[in-house]
């Protein structure tokens, strides 16, 4: 059976995501299975997901996925490179996935592959070091070097969010030497962060979250799949404003020393950023003020948001092994159950369906699962009706 892997956040799942799944089956055949690797309760931007992972995984299956496995927070709340590496590693480890489907502004897998090859070249690495030494931001340095090697048009893919992530997926496939074919599905409708203006056929997840934050369910529902609104309402949403959550994060930031900040990933220890983060954490009266005080030309808001979240969650760079150590199943349908039986035979990692099984796994698996438990427990405190702690040990996969 041909199986397409999709790495996603589904925050929340909307009609654009359903379109990608349907287009994947149109291109690969209607019998193609779809295996999704989905972020847990925290997402790459350094924010809480709009709904918990069990609800989002259930909705993903209702929207066309067959089997959903989790991308743990240690990889989900990371740079595009690490996010992609974690997701691709898990899909490759399943032993099921033959194709990797992802959204793309250009829809040109060859152009993305050329950019991936460029970023992995010795010429690129040498050029990057030269520009970084001049004090430019990483993004500006990368773009300048890529344009010199690929030309302006060839390097343009790195300026577009989905194309940029697609390049990182291809780099991960190259690094793993995985026999998985890339499939770039052209993104249609609104841009990645677009909000407002005339309604497009497909809107961004950012726009959907904004509507839900404002209680504008009538505006959002046309872009949700049937039954999704009821599931989201019933679960309780985790959406801003959350003054209590902000105070909790600030409380943690005020206790962080420069040595604490230096233990986080991408903390800029070599450039002296931890001392700046310590000062900003002690002075800031809001998260926006913290980002403004800590921001430098080389450290944009997205990176600082992830650092603040890692600090709040009590995670450190040393907590993250090279690859995710297990495959945690969150949801499946009938075909997904067939895939699960096959995955238990083909997977190169332990397959976790019942949380109690983790206790029989090795120390790395147990440690990552326990950190995920902490992340989920803290997420639960942000919900309108917080559940009791230890939910990770009580929840099994949804079977639809």
């Amino acid at each position: 059976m041909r199986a397409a892997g999709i790495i996603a956040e589904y925050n929340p799942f909307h009609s654009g995501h359903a379109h990608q799944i349907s287009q994947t089956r149109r291109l690969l055949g209607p019998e193609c299975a779809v295996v999704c690797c989905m972020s847990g309760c925290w997402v790459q931007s350094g924010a809480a997901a709009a709904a918990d992972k069990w609800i989002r995984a259930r909705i993903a299956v209702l929207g066309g996925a067959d089997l959903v496995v989790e991308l743990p927070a240690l990889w989900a709340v990371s740079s595009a490179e690490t996010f992609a590496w974690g997701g691709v590693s898990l899909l490759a480890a399943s032993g099921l996935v033959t194709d990797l489907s992802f959204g793309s502004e250009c829809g040109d897998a060859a152009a993305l592959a050329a950019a991936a090859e460029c970023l992995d070249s010795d010429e690129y690495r040498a050029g990057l070091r030269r520009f970084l030494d001049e004090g430019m931001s990483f993004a500006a340095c990368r773009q300048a070097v890529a344009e010199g090697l690929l030309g302006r048009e060839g390097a343009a893919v790195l300026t577009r969010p989905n194309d940029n992530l697609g390049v990182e997926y291809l780099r991960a496939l190259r690094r793993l030497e995985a026999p998985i074919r890339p499939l770039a599905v052209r993104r249609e409708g609104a841009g990645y962060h677009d909000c407002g203006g005339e309604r497009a056929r497909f809107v961004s997840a950012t726009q959907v979250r904004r509507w839900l934050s404002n209680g504008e369910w009538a505006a959002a529902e046309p872009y949700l799949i049937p039954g999704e609104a009821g599931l989201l309402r019933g679960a309780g949403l985790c959406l801003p404003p959350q003054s209590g959550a902000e105070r909790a994060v600030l409380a943690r930031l005020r206790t962080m020393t420069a040595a604490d900040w230096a233990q986080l990933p991408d903390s800029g220890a070599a450039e002296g950023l931890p001392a700046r983060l310590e000062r900003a954490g002690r002075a800031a009266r809001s998260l926006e003020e913290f980002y403004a005080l800590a921001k430098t030309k080389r450290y944009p808001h997205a990176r600082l948001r992830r650092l603040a979240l890692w600090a709040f969650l009590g995670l450190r760079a040393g907590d993250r092994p090279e690859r995710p150590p297990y495959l945690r199943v969150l949801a499946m349908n009938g075909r997904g159950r067939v895939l699960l039986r096959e995955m238990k035979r083909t997977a190169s990692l332990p397959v976790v369906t019942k949380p109690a099984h983790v206790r029989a796994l090795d120390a790395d698996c147990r440690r990552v699962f326990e950190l995920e438990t902490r992340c989920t427990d803290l997420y639960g405190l942000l919900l309108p009706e917080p559940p009791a702690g230890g939910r990770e040990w009580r929840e099994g996969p949804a079977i639809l």
Side-chain angles (χ1 to χ4, degrees), residues 16 72 115 333 335 378:
N333 59 16
R335 181 157 54 176
L378 290 171

Side-chain angles (χ1 to χ4, degrees), residues 85-118:
W85 171 250
V88 172
S89 296
L90 282 174
L91 292 176
S94 74
L96 297 174
V97 172
T98 57
D99 301 82
L100 178 64
S101 172
F102 53 89
S104 163
E105 287 89 354
C106 73
D108 185 347
L112 301 177
E117 186 174 357
C118 170

